[in-house]
């Protein structure tokens, strides 16, 4: 699973990495994810909701060459999914994207390599937490005169650009809070 909340089951989402881990459960997992996104849309429509999610999967690993904890690149489609959920709920105008940098590697370190087994053991360690909230990433409008393939290309480029801006801001915040030196 990707994210969890003790208070609200709907925030529980099966990640792309593990949705196929038990093929017989894939339809149920996909249905669960759809219900979760619908619930998220209802929360966005209501307003006053603060949601944190990791558009990279949140598994920042130590670089074997430098020894620094490197934040994983964001997935433009993960950011777009949340934006579309908000828009679909009629809450696009009151939904805001603020990249956050969290230096949590030492609290809940991931395995050193990608591709660990489903249900891998991880241990929580008690240490400080550092957080940086960055400036809001504002959408740049896509040219409304474009149609067909040109419109799709421009929309995809806008997603990629939004992701790059959010990631660059997060990295600045990450450096400011000492994230690389965990």
């Amino acid at each position: 699973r990707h994210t969890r909340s003790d208070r609200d089951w709907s925030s529980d989402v099966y990640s792309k990495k593990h949705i196929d881990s038990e093929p017989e459960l894939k339809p149920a997992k996909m249905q669960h994810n759809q219900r979760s996104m619908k619930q998220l849309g209802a929360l966005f429509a209501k307003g006053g909701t603060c949601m944190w999610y990791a558009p990279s999967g949140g598994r920042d690993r130590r670089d074997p060459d430098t020894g620094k904890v490197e934040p994983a690149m964001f997935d433009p489609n993960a950011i777009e999914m949340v934006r579309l959920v908000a828009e679909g709920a009629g809450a696009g105008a009151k939904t805001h994207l603020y990249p956050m940098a969290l230096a949590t590697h030492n609290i809940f370190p991931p395995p050193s390599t990608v591709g660990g087994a489903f249900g891998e053991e991880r241990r929580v360690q008690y240490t400080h937490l550092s957080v940086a909230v960055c400036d809001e990433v504002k959408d740049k409008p896509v040219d409304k005169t474009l149609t067909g393939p040109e419109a799709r290309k421009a929309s995809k480029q806008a997603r990629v650009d939004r992701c790059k801006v959010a990631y660059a801001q997060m990295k600045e915040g990450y450096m400011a809070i000492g994230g690389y030196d965990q």
Side-chain angles (χ1 to χ4, degrees):
R1 293 188 180 185
H2 183 66
T3 58
R4 291 194 179 95
S5 168
D6 293 335
R7 294 179 16 196
D8 183 1
W9 68 268
S10 66
S11 68
D12 224 4
V13 176
Y14 292 96
S15 69
K16 289 186 293 185
K17 177 182 173 187
H18 291 301
I19 200 141
D20 293 320
S21 64
E22 300 163 288
E24 69 281 4
L25 297 178
K26 183 175 181 176
K29 290 177 180 181
M30 291 175 68
Q31 186 176 35
H32 176 86
N33 283 0
Q34 289 171 344
R35 282 193 315 266
S36 295
M37 293 298 103
K38 187 174 181 179
Q39 177 68 21
L40 180 60
L43 291 169
F44 282 153
K46 181 180 170 186
T49 298
C50 180
M51 182 197 79
W52 173 84
Y53 75 104
S56 63
R59 306 192 95 186
D60 305 332
R61 290 182 167 76
R62 194 170 303 285
D63 183 299
D65 297 327
T66 66
K68 304 282 185 188
V69 177
E70 293 289 338
M73 185 59 190
F74 290 173
D75 177 357
N77 294 326
I79 296 171
E80 181 68 0
M81 177 194 65
V82 173
R83 191 187 70 76
L84 289 173
V85 167
E87 277 190 4
K94 59 183 175 181
T95 300
H96 306 275
L97 171 63
Y98 292 90
M100 292 175 56
L102 301 171
T104 61
H105 183 275
N106 292 338
I107 295 171
F108 199 54
S112 57
T113 59
V114 177
F118 183 67
E120 65 200 0
E121 185 175 320
R122 294 175 66 194
R123 298 196 184 269
V124 174
Q125 301 177 61
Y126 295 93
T127 186
H128 72 278
L129 167 70
S130 298
V131 179
V133 179
C134 307
D135 292 334
E136 179 178 9
V137 174
K138 302 215 183 230
D139 284 338
K140 292 186 176 123
V142 176
D143 184 350
K144 300 284 186 199
T145 64
L146 298 175
T147 60
E150 288 179 333
R152 286 189 293 280
K153 183 178 178 183
S155 179
K156 182 177 181 179
Q157 188 60 51
R159 277 196 309 268
V160 170
D161 292 347
R162 183 182 315 113
C163 181
K164 286 179 179 178
V165 168
Y167 185 73
Q169 287 187 16
M170 180 279 303
K171 283 189 80 165
E172 284 180 32
Y174 194 68
M175 183 179 296
I177 62 175
Y180 290 103
D181 299 318
Q182 297 179 72

